[in-house]
Structure formats: structure tokens, C-alpha cells
């Protein structure tokens, strides 16, 4: 599964880890994250992410 | 206005703001602040960041004592917030720099703040380095510490890290170095600054400290954009250790009670909660939001792992000062905190529920149910508040490993 990077702050979303603090289980593909999910570091929307 | 030589041919040419108490519109700076600008004279003359625009004359005067303005070759913008970039338009006009260095996101910020047409902007990324004669400047991006554009500049020959807003403090004095000021004052100002500005980015602070260690770079001077400079390896290490401590947010046996009140019932309840905490040996500070600014509360939170909120019910909700405090605190994302809620009410009584929901949403553990009391507290109500305080104290002591 592909990792994605927030272009605003550099946070890397790793599907293996997910973002459990914000309700995204480990093993969730970036594409499957809800559209209203925000970067846990800077709050940027999903549209600000690019493949790592 | 004289410059201060902080290392051979490295000068502080900033400004001290003795009178400002409003820091960026969201926090208080009770001790005033400083805007630090640094100038390095080598084959190339380089200026690092600027000051808030109303202090431009002070900065230009100090600079003129070191160099002619048109001899400034490079300007490095580590951070584009206006208190550090505000003089850029005027400086570009006066110095006609050969190059202006900033991070990729710094360029975006620069263009969004100023008319940069014709400016010789050169984007640098982590790992990029330039030579200015006998010195190199290495750039390291520190995104979201505390803006996306933030970066730091390292001069290996001087073992000097010019670190923008990281490691800063709001203080106004003629002293320029940490070792010239009483340590408890410096530490208090660091706690205040960290918990009002840097706290949400604590995971990044830990990563950055690790990265500095892994890079194995030698630093014997940390020069932030606000406040005092850390001089000598021992003080640099002290600063890093403090930042690690702030970022880790380890459990501390101390509590803060934050409240607002209408007819003093909630205030009286606050004192009973405090008695309960005290009975279990947990020190506590009571902060009235009519007396204490929300940024002062955050400073106190830097020393406290139990955070207990009190508000009466007002128009089926909580009082505006308390709502404001909760909003501010939520944005600063504190971790490892135990919470509690209490308040008086007249007829509907939503306050405790509203406070509990807000604190739970912030990730606080709520070891006991909140206490609400109709109108004026009686002995029974005081007892409930006291017991709540004692229970929170016990839960906190367990967290602290007692």
C-alpha cells in the first residue's frame, strides 16, 4: 500500500499504521480514508496529500 | 543603537519590544518580547530574518553600525510570520540583495504576504548548503515548527544554529544571553512560550531533537528569533532537555482548576475541589478566567497534569470565558491530562455535561463524574466537590507512579 505525504507540513501517512487517534484503523489505504479526514499534524485536507 | 557581536563577525541587530503585551493577537507577552535578527559578515554579508515592521529603524540603525546596507548580499528567511519578515519589502529596496533564501513553502508564504515581483528568491530544502566565504550555511526545514515555511540555518564553522521561533521566549531586556539571566525566569518564559505556541507540534519537536542528534551536528550556540540566546554546549543541552521534557508531557503531580462564575457558587465549589486535591498532597492553583488570561492558564497547564474546569449553566450552556478557554486549549492539543468538571445551575444544568464532553473530546481521562449543584452550594455539595478533588488526586498520583 502506498504512503502519502502532506505537502503543507510533511506528515507521512503510512497505511500500515493508519491514524488510530482520528479513527483510521491500521491497514486503511489512503484512498479509503473518509474525505473529511484532516492531516493530524497541520489540519490540511486530504486534497493536500501526494504519493510519497 | 549598537549591535551585539555574539560570535566573531556574527552580530545581533534585532529590536527589543518593551511595551507590547499582545502577542500576535492570541496570547499575552507579559514580559514584552524581542525580535532577533542576525547579521554575518564574511565574503558575503548575510542577514537572517528581520524584525516587526514598526521596529525597522532600530534594526537599520544597528545594521548600519556593522555594514553599509547595500553591502548585504543575502537575506535568509527562516520564517515568514510578519514579526520576522515585516521589513522585507523595505530591506529589499534598501539592500538590493543578490539572493533571498527561503524554504519551498517559505516562497509560497512570501508571495502571499508581499509583492515579490523582481525579488531574487532562491528556494532551499533540507540538506542544501551555500558557501559565504569562510563559512557554510546549511538549511534544515522544520515544517510546522511552527509554520509550514519554518526552517533553521546551521553554520558549522561557528557551531551556530539560527533556529527561528523554536526555543524562543518572550522577554524584553538588554541582556542577550540566557547565562546572563536568572535561570528560573528563563525557564518560566520558555514554559509560557512553548505551551502557547509550540505545544500542538510536540511530536515534531521530539522528531527534530532526534534528527539533530542523528545528524551529529555540533551546536554551541542556539540563536532563536525571540528572546535570549543559548551560549555554550551546556546551555544548549539544557534547552534541548527542557524541550524534550515539554514535548513528552510526562505526568506531573500538580493540578489547575479553571473556572468562571456568576453569583460565586461555582467559585465556592472550586475552592472545595482544591481542598480535596490538597488533602491528597496534590498542589493546585485556582485560576479565575476573570482574573487570568487564557494564555496564563496554558502556562500553568505546562506544570499541571490534572485540569479541572468549572462553569455555571448559563442559557443552557457554559459561560463564554470558559468556552473561549476550551477552544484555545483544544487547539493547543495537550496530551497526558486528567480532567474534571463541576458547576452550579439554576434550573436546567447542562454545564457539567458540556464541560465533560469538551474535555473528553480533547482526549483527557475523566476518572470521576462531574459535580453539579443547584443554586447555592450546601455542606453536602461542598463534600461532593471535596471528594471529587480527592479522587482526581488519587488517579493523578497513580499516573505519576505513586
Amino acid at each position: 500500500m502506498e504512503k502519502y505525504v502532506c505537502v503543507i507540513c510533511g506528515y507521512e501517512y503510512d497505511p500500515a499504521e493508519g491514524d488510530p487517534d482520528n479513527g483510521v484503523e491500521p491497514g486503511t489505504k489512503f484512498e479509503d480514508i473518509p474525505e473529511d479526514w484532516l492531516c493530524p499534524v497541520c489540519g490540511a485536507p486530504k486534497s493536500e496529500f501526494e504519493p510519497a | 543603537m549598537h549591535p551585539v557581536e555574539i560570535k566573531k563577525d556574527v552580530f545581533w541587530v534585532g529590536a527589543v519590544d518593551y511595551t507590547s503585551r499582545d502577542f500576535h493577537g492570541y496570547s499575552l507577552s507579559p514580559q514584552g518580547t524581542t525580535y532577533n535578527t542576525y547579521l554575518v559578515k564574511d565574503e558575503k554579508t548575510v542577514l537572517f530574518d528581520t524584525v516587526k515592521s514598526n521596529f525597522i529603524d532600530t534594526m537599520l540603525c544597528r545594521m548600519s553600525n556593522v555594514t553599509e546596507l547595500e553591502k548585504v548580499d543575502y537575506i535568509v528567511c527562516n520564517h515568514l510570520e510578519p514579526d520576522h519578515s515585516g521589513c522585507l519589502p523595505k530591506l529589499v529596496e534598501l539592500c538590493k540583495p543578490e539572493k533571498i533564501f527561503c524554504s519551498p513553502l517559505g516562497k509560497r508564504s512570501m508571495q502571499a504576504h508581499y509583492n515579490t515581483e523582481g525579488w531574487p528568491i532562491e528556494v532551499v530544502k533540507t540538506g542544501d548548503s551555500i558557501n559565504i566565504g569562510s563559512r557554510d550555511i546549511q538549511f534544515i526545514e522544520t515544517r510546522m515548527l511552527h509554520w509550514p515555511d519554518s526552517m533553521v540555518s546551521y553554520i558549522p564553522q561557528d557551531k551556530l544554529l539560527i533556529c527561528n521561533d523554536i526555543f524562543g521566549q518572550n522577554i524584553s531586556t538588554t541582556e542577550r544571553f540566557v547565562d546572563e539571566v536568572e535561570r528560573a525566569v528563563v525557564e518560566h518564559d520558555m514554559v509560557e512560550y512553548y505551551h502557547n505556541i509550540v505545544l500542538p507540534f510536540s511530536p515534531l519537536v521530539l522528531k527534530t531533537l532526534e534528527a539533530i542528534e542523528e545528524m551529529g551536528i555540533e551546536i554551541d550556540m542556539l540563536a532563536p528569533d525571540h528572546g535570549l540566546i543559548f551560549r555554550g554546549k551546556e546551555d544548549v543541552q539544557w534547552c534541548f532537555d527542557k524541550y524534550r521534557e515539554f514535548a513528552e508531557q510526562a505526568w506531573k503531580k500538580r493540578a489547575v482548576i479553571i473556572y468562571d462564575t456568576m453569583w460565586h457558587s461555582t467559585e465556592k465549589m472550586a475552592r472545595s475541589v482544591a481542598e480535596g486535591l490538597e488533602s491528597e498532597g496534590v498542589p493546585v492553583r485556582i485560576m479565575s478566567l476573570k482574573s487570568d488570561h487564557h494564555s496564563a492558564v496554558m502556562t500553568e497547564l505546562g506544570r499541571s497534569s490534572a485540569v479541572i474546569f468549572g462553569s455555571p449553566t448559563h442559557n443552557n450552556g457554559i459561560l463564554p470565558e470558559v468556552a473561549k478557554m476550551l477552544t484555545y486549549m483544544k487547539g493547543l492539543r495537550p496530551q497526558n491530562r486528567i480532567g474534571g468538571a463541576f458547576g452550579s445551575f439554576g434550573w436546567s444544568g447542562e454545564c457539567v455535561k458540556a464541560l465533560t464532553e469538551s474535555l473528553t473530546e480533547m482526549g483527557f481521562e475523566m476518572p470521576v463524574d462531574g459535580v453539579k449543584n443547584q443554586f447555592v452550594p450546601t455542606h453536602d455539595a461542598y463534600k461532593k466537590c471535596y471528594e471529587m478533588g480527592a479522587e482526581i488526586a488519587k488517579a493523578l498520583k497513580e499516573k505519576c507512579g505513586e
Side-chain angles (χ1 to χ4, degrees), chain B residues 15-187:
Chain B
V16 182
D17 189 343
Y18 290 100
T19 56
S20 173
R21 297 293 177 269
D22 172 13
F23 192 70
H24 300 14
Y26 61 83
S27 169
L28 289 187
S29 51
Q31 324 292 333
T33 192
T34 48
Y35 313 109
N36 294 332
T37 296
Y38 302 100
L39 190 142
V40 178
K41 266 182 101 170
D42 206 312
E43 280 171 33
K44 297 284 184 189
T45 298
V46 188
L47 189 74
F48 292 84
D49 288 329
T50 79
V51 299
K52 204 170 169 182
S53 59
N54 49 329
F55 286 92
I56 188 166
D57 293 344
T58 307
M59 181 188 68
L60 292 177
C61 182
R62 286 192 213 280
M63 285 171 69
S64 303
N65 281 309
V66 184
T67 182
E68 288 163 48
L69 294 178
E70 50 273 29
K71 289 201 174 148
V72 173
D73 301 292
Y74 298 158
I75 299 175
V76 174
C77 292
N78 280 326
H79 179 31
L80 265 298
E81 204 166 2
D83 52 334
H84 306 299
S85 70
C87 303
L88 265 182
K90 193 75 190 163
L91 273 177
V92 174
E93 190 188 314
L94 293 172
C95 303
K96 298 178 186 63
E98 198 182 312
K99 284 174 185 172
I100 303 170
F101 296 97
C102 62
S103 70
L105 291 161
K107 185 178 178 185
R108 238 200 250 186
S109 280
M110 204 182 282
Q111 289 170 332
H113 279 85
Y114 309 107
N115 177 4
T116 59
E117 213 183 311
W119 289 15
I121 302 170
E122 191 157 317
V123 166
V124 286
K125 294 179 177 170
T126 295
D128 287 350
S129 177
I130 57 168
N131 180 269
I132 58 165
S134 67
R135 292 174 174 82
D136 300 305
I137 304 170
Q138 300 173 355
F139 302 103
I140 306 162
E141 287 176 76
T142 53
R143 290 187 188 186
M144 291 316 288
L145 277 180
H146 66 116
W147 271 24
D149 57 68
S150 302
M151 68 173 189
V152 297
S153 303
Y154 176 63
I155 303 177
Q157 291 82 358
D158 291 314
K159 298 176 184 161
L160 169 65
L161 188 71
I162 299 175
C163 52
N164 89 67
D165 274 346
I166 321 168
F167 310 123
Q169 331 94 44
N170 283 326
I171 187 166
S172 58
T173 168
T174 55
E175 289 129 330
R176 296 273 65 81
F177 295 99
V178 165
D179 56 41
E180 297 172 314
V181 174
E182 203 182 319
R183 196 53 56 118
V185 172
V186 178
E187 184 168 348

